[in-house]
Amino acid sequence: MSSKKLIGVDLGGTTVKFAILTLDGDVQQKWAFRTNILDEGQHIIPEIVDSINHHIDLYKMSRDQFVGIGIGTPGTVDLKNGTVTGAFNLNWKKPQALIEQLETGTGLKAALDNDANVAALGERWKGAGNNGDEVAFITLGTGVGGGIITNGEMVHGIHGAGGEIGHMIVEPEGYLCTCGNRGCLEQYASATGVVHLATDAAEEYAGDSKLKAMVDDGQEITSKIVFDLAEKEDDYLANEVVDRVAHYLGLASANISNILNPEFVVIGGGVSAAGEFLLSRVNAAFQQFAFATVRDSTTLKLAELGNDAGVIGAASLAKRFM
Amino acid sequence: MSSKKLIGVDLGGTTVKFAILTLDGDVQQKWAFRTNILDEGQHIIPEIVDSINHHIDLYKMSRDQFVGIGIGTPGTVDLKNGTVTGAFNLNWKKPQALIEQLETGTGLKAALDNDANVAALGERWKGAGNNGDEVAFITLGTGVGGGIITNGEMVHGIHGAGGEIGHMIVEPEGYLCTCGNRGCLEQYASATGVVHLATDAAEEYAGDSKLKAMVDDGQEITSKIVFDLAEKEDDYLANEVVDRVAHYLGLASANISNILNPEFVVIGGGVSAAGEFLLSRVNAAFQQFAFATVRDSTTLKLAELGNDAGVIGAASLAKRFM
């Protein structure tokens, strides 16, 4: 039996996370450092290479003990050429030969995918996806991202836009999105979307509400504040906002499921910290909008891996080198 | 080089269609007979078996010249057990051991899928899908069905409901669907949906319109009449109806594409006989609702195979026996 290892790298705008995993996906070592985006981000890949080499030495391991490296990255990935474009939060203004530099620098084989997709792969493999072949993943953070796995394979589509769940239209004449369209899920279910809904709701509401008082007072509102006011203080307006967020998330989850009938729709990311309180309401909307067979066979779940989803899913990319 | 053949069977509530195809998907023989749904449909499978055996003899062929049989059927298919349940238009009240009976009766291997999925496979292989690995297919008939192919494989989902595009919710508080939900695409883009929209529109409209006059006069309206009045007579109300149909179809196509980024969304079925007139309007809505990358890489197309999509796609199922 092989005891080879996988390396997973989760490259983000703030930190780069690393992990060494067994082939079964058990994390054996983890480390991280702050992403250095100076000088158009040209230090990022060399620093990743150095860190991997350093840790292989540190753990007194050799290269032939590793199957390879998997990396999740922001931006648009070119799977065939192993390059990344448009990762603006890394300050990468030109396409980056990520795979070539990783492989040359470490002497290991490397594979990449975008950050939302590797998080989906992580949750699918070792988290809420229960290693199933049919999993949809929605991550609610500053934006809304996602990844879709059908027949056991990640869906990239013809030009890499597979899994852009945040840009499903849930309100055709709704809020303007950064993508230029109106009514994208991202505008209602991201952290900023929740705040936008809360601000607008406060403006229209005349009744008694702490949320409204805070908005009217010019205090900074976060999605966490909205969920806390709804759950812990039973604030009327905050509950209205949570219901709208849940409506749109339930509608999107149901429409994904009505066409793909996944085993699980996994909801993760910062906003999902609201946990079962949010999930139960999303599920109510999902039940309303899902087709009968789907209602009975697709299950909504909270993500289970937190920040580790990225490194675990990234590592799973390297299994192709076995 | 092998010159083996495939047999495709398209089992419908009205007719059973057959074809013998080359491995490249060229149709060499076609025949059909009326579906005999008497006696709880118990004659259907034996008659299919007899017809296949008869035609193999008729064309002076032998069983070892065939790779196998693929069949598309109404109802819910159990892919693992090769059975069909709930095919009410065949009068099948109990589960049917379709594959077992076909294989025993013909001495050939057989594979099945549901009718919408085989039509999708047909269009993907030899029609508008250009043999691509990423194709979504929407069929507009009495109902709205569909099939989704990602990474070259049909998406069935965890319980066979993959591709239920007709039950995507496009109008959350809209028309009541036969499935029990409100606002399913099927209620707006099927033949009956178009008529429903036309009838309601006529009731609310006070201006000059032949469509309105026909409705008010109690004449029978069909989706064809609505499209003809819009295209050929520039009827104001009929055009409004077509625009709404196109809006919902464009919205659904865009949402499918925003999460799957297929190469093609292929629109077929009877309603799509309206052709480019309908497609151009659906495309306008699609362009409005699709995410930028998707807008640039996913193309809406009309189906190309007409009634042959079913037998061709069904035959493609038998390629697994090569």
Side-chain angles (χ1 to χ4, degrees), chain A residues 56-69:
Chain A
I56 291 176
D57 292 343
L58 185 69
Y59 300 129
K60 300 190 195 325
M61 298 179 77
S62 63
R63 264 153 200 74
D64 59 13
Q65 284 178 270
F66 292 93
V67 169
I69 302 167

Side-chain angles (χ1 to χ4, degrees), chain B residues 200-222:
Chain B
D200 280 8
E203 211 163 278
E204 284 168 23
Y205 183 63
D208 190 42
S209 154
K210 190 165 170 188
L211 175 60
K212 179 179 169 54
M214 289 178 73
V215 172
D216 290 351
D217 192 40
Q219 293 181 44
E220 197 192 354
I221 305 295
T222 63

